Amino acid sequence: MSNVQISTPFNISLDFEIAPFYKRLLAYFLDLTILVLYAVFIRYFLYEGLRLEGEFAMGVDILVVSLPLLLYHLICEIVFHGQSIGKKAMGIRVMSVEGGDPGISQYLLRWFFRVWEWPLVFSFVYPGLLIIYQLIIVGFFGIIVVIIIAVTAKNQRLGDLAANTAIVNTKINTSIHDTVFMEITQKDYVVKFPQVLKLSD
């Protein structure tokens, strides 16, 4: 698995493992499932429960369904420090390549480059055959996104490249043996820098 090196303001370079593609894909489908269930439940409540009809119903639909669907990733990533619900479940997050949490402008850039998904968001407003064409469009651009992720060095999509961000693993498999605090079992070991004994933990 490839790593991304991020320099902190203290001039310390930290290595983060790039999130594997399968985790990103599972996180995407988990988020998509949440959005679809939300849309189905709210629409059922609006049209079957409240019996809304006509242009008023369409206006309410856009306000309480399409707008939340459109802003879901942007709001989640800002509020949950680079994670949507799907990303949190898969243990991955968005991180700035320059170090730390991305800024609002970086989140906005990432979100804007999700424009290829927007037809699917608004297809619920205009159901029927149009949704099939929109699914084809979204699927086609989705394949292009997968290709871009596969060929970039840090597995970035266009939004990540523009915003200078990367998707990294938050769950790192390490043990005490991966640190400098290791027990010395060698009996004839000689300390090369005795001054280190003056340091506390």
Side-chain angles (χ1 to χ4, degrees):
M1 184 56 59
S2 58
N3 287 1
V4 59
Q5 195 171 70
I6 294 173
S7 295
T8 68
F10 301 104
N11 292 324
I12 298 170
S13 293
L14 301 175
D15 283 338
F16 289 91
E17 186 182 288
I18 295 290
F21 179 72
Y22 79 90
K23 282 192 173 184
R24 294 178 72 164
L25 192 63
L26 287 173
Y28 175 81
F29 281 116
L30 184 57
D31 285 327
L32 186 62
T33 303
I34 290 167
L35 293 176
V36 169
L37 290 175
Y38 170 81
V40 169
F41 175 78
I42 297 297
R43 286 208 169 93
Y44 180 82
F45 175 73
L46 292 176
Y47 297 113
E48 299 298 323
L50 299 179
R51 303 283 183 184
L52 296 183
E53 294 179 357
E55 290 183 9
F56 177 74
M58 185 176 287
V60 172
D61 191 300
I62 290 171
L63 189 63
V64 300
V65 180
S66 294
L67 200 58
L69 294 182
L70 186 64
L71 299 176
Y72 169 79
H73 286 282
L74 177 64
I75 292 170
C76 278
E77 288 180 1
I78 291 172
V79 172
F80 300 126
H81 303 286
Q83 292 182 306
S84 62
I85 295 169
K87 286 186 181 76
K88 195 165 189 66
M90 295 310 301
I92 60 177
R93 70 181 287 248
V94 180
M95 184 171 276
S96 174
V97 174
E98 296 164 354
D101 287 337
I104 300 253
S105 59
Q106 288 174 292
Y107 286 129
L108 278 167
L109 264 174
R110 292 189 82 256
W111 172 76
F112 178 77
F113 276 89
R114 297 186 86 94
V115 67
W116 62 277
E117 295 175 343
W118 294 357
L120 190 59
V121 170
F122 291 109
S123 66
F124 289 107
V125 178
Y126 307 102
L129 282 178
L130 190 59
I131 193 170
I132 295 170
Y133 298 118
Q134 288 167 324
L135 281 169
I136 292 168
I137 292 168
V138 169
F140 173 74
F141 284 110
I143 292 168
I144 294 173
V145 169
V146 169
I147 292 168
I148 292 169
I149 289 171
V151 299
T152 54
K154 296 172 186 171
N155 294 7
Q156 296 165 293
R157 61 181 182 83
L158 281 178
D160 289 316
L161 290 170
N164 204 22
T165 57
I167 308 291
V168 298
N169 260 335
T170 58
K171 297 174 184 174
I172 302 168
N173 297 322
T174 57
S175 70
I176 192 69
H177 298 294
D178 298 321
T179 70
V180 293
F181 298 104
M182 292 177 65
E183 187 178 338
I184 305 297
T185 56
Q186 186 180 342
K187 291 185 179 179
D188 59 344
Y189 180 79
V190 178
V191 178
K192 294 180 183 176
F193 301 99
Q195 298 89 345
V196 78
L197 297 173
K198 296 179 182 178
L199 299 175
S200 67
D201 287 346

